[in-house]
Amino acid sequence: MDKQLSVKLPPSLTAETSVKIWEQVLGAAGSGQTIFDASDLTFCDESGLTLLYELRSRPDDFKLINVSAGVETLYSTMLKNFSPKPVEKKSLGIISSLGKWLYDAASSTKQSITFLGSACCALTEVLFHPSQIRFREILSVSDEAGSRAVGIICLIGFLMGVIIAFETALVAQIFGAVIFVVNGIGIAMTRELGPLMTAILFAGRSGSAFAAQLGTQKVNEELNALTTFGLSPMYFLVVPRLIASSLVVPLLSVFATILGILGGGLVMAMYDITYTQFYVQLLKSVTVTDIVFGLVKAVIFGFVIALIGCQCGMNTGAGAAAVGSSTTKSVVKSIIWIVVIDGAAALLTNRLGI
């Protein structure tokens, strides 16, 4: 027959006083039932309540007796707060799912519009008071997001010019109109592909970085610290990124456009189009309007990418997974809005004859 041991619990069951009892509990498997007398017990902290839970969850090894009403009430409250019953997830019907999707879309749209309004107000106030502009922060962001991206931007721009020239020249050669390929290269790179490819690369490289940086600061409660010190995160973090992106993306677009045209010129040389012919035809086809239109779109793209990246970062939830989710969301939303804005601009210019 298994022997029974009796242990008297101390008046105060805390992390310090329950260490020896925990050692006895953890090594008591198969050694017979042990009776714990709680007649003197009047106070328990989290460790003590956990010990009581362990004793009651193993009735074959332990028996707890003489528990006071106060400790019993505290124990019941602990079970109610820390051991909730799992809630069964109910599958939603088609109408409910549609309603939930519409509600989430409306909430997200409202949140985006509110953030856009706050950013525009902060940016306007800073522009009217240049002394508030943090030039050092803008320069730092411009260096990270712009200067270090020149290489990949130039490479992609050059390859886009080469691809466009090759693909269109193969068809134009059939009709003896290879010279007009220069027109396509010039207009496509200045109006569309230069700003568009630059914006997409900027969204993947720098827009995601904005979301990750602000998201990490949100998780680490650095944004709350700024607010506590009386500094607005909108002025301190968002506005410098908006200004830097709006300045950097057009400059990167110029690099991509120039390299794309140079790549097209190299391909045209393979089709007996001299560099002089290429230069003259390019000047005839590309106008100042095309260049200005491309730069204006690049400015808008830069502003939108920075705005989305900052918004996703500042709305990050808790944990490292939330930072990754915000980063992914910022890239996807940026690319979608880039394409939407580019399509709307193309439609508008076609209607206006620009």
Side-chain angles (χ1 to χ4, degrees):
M1 181 176 179
D2 293 334
K3 58 182 180 178
Q4 280 191 340
L5 299 177
S6 180
V7 177
K8 198 170 187 65
L9 296 178
S12 178
L13 199 58
T14 62
E16 182 180 358
T17 59
S18 62
V19 173
K20 293 183 179 180
I21 302 175
W22 268 112
E23 293 176 354
Q24 186 175 358
V25 168
L26 295 176
S31 61
Q33 191 180 52
T34 303
I35 299 175
F36 286 88
D37 186 2
S39 57
D40 295 339
L41 182 62
T42 58
F43 176 80
C44 283
D45 64 359
E46 291 85 350
S47 177
L49 292 173
T50 306
L51 177 60
L52 296 183
Y53 178 82
E54 181 69 17
L55 295 177
R56 286 186 168 176
S57 63
R58 295 166 58 181
D60 295 336
D61 296 326
F62 309 110
K63 184 178 180 181
L64 186 63
I65 61 174
N66 299 327
V67 181
S68 65
V71 174
E72 194 69 49
T73 302
L74 184 63
Y75 180 80
S76 302
T77 304
M78 186 270 294
L79 287 182
K80 186 183 300 183
N81 293 335
F82 295 99
S83 300
K85 294 182 179 180
V87 180
E88 296 182 0
K89 293 184 178 181
K90 297 182 180 180
S91 58
L92 299 177
I94 297 177
I95 298 178
S96 299
S97 300
L98 179 61
K100 183 178 182 301
W101 180 82
L102 290 174
Y103 176 79
D104 292 341
S107 300
S108 177
T109 303
K110 178 183 177 182
Q111 193 176 45
S112 300
I113 294 174
T114 303
F115 189 85
L116 174 62
S118 301
C120 290
C121 291
L123 184 61
T124 302
E125 185 172 345
V126 166
L127 293 178
F128 276 109
H129 301 84
S131 60
Q132 298 181 5
I133 299 178
R134 303 178 64 241
F135 290 101
R136 186 172 299 178
E137 179 71 14
I138 294 173
L139 184 61
S140 175
V141 175
S142 300
D143 177 61
E144 175 64 31
S147 302
R148 303 182 185 182
V150 172
I152 186 64
I153 292 294
C154 291
L155 176 62
I156 296 299
F158 179 81
L159 293 177
M160 290 303 301
V162 170
I163 293 170
I164 293 172
F166 263 123
E167 296 299 329
T168 53
L170 290 175
V171 179
Q173 191 179 29
I174 300 174
F175 302 97
V178 178
I179 189 65
F180 294 106
V181 174
V182 180
N183 299 47
I185 296 172
I187 295 175
M189 291 305 302
T190 55
R191 292 177 66 99
E192 294 294 333
L193 291 179
L196 183 64
M197 295 306 300
T198 300
I200 292 176
L201 289 172
F202 190 84
R205 186 187 180 279
S206 301
S208 60
F210 294 162
Q213 290 166 0
L214 296 185
T216 304
Q217 291 177 325
K218 176 71 177 297
V219 171
N220 294 337
E221 297 187 356
E222 294 178 28
L223 300 184
N224 295 335
L226 286 176
T227 305
T228 303
F229 284 119
L231 299 174
S232 172
M234 187 66 67
Y235 289 95
F236 198 77
L237 298 173
V238 176
V239 170
R241 286 170 170 79
L242 292 177
I243 297 175
S245 298
S246 300
L247 296 176
V248 163
V249 175
L251 295 177
L252 293 176
S253 176
V254 171
F255 282 106
T257 301
I258 293 174
L259 267 295
I261 292 174
L262 290 178
L266 293 177
V267 174
M268 288 293 95
M270 301 172 58
Y271 290 90
D272 299 326
I273 303 296
T274 65
Y275 294 116
T276 302
Q277 289 176 308
F278 183 88
Y279 176 73
V280 172
Q281 189 68 21
L282 184 67
L283 292 182
K284 291 181 181 179
S285 60
V286 177
T287 63
V288 177
T289 302
D290 298 327
I291 298 173
V292 172
F293 179 70
L295 292 177
V296 170
K297 283 204 304 183
V299 173
I300 297 174
F301 289 156
F303 181 84
V304 170
I305 292 169
L307 187 72
I308 293 174
C310 292
Q311 183 204 357
C312 292
M314 296 184 70
N315 291 334
T316 301
V323 177
S325 177
S326 297
T327 304
T328 304
K329 190 182 298 183
S330 70
V331 176
V332 174
K333 291 178 68 174
S334 295
I335 293 176
I336 291 175
W337 276 105
I338 287 169
V339 176
V340 170
I341 293 172
D342 189 67
L347 180 62
L348 180 63
T349 53
N350 182 58
R351 291 290 184 181
L352 297 177
I354 299 177

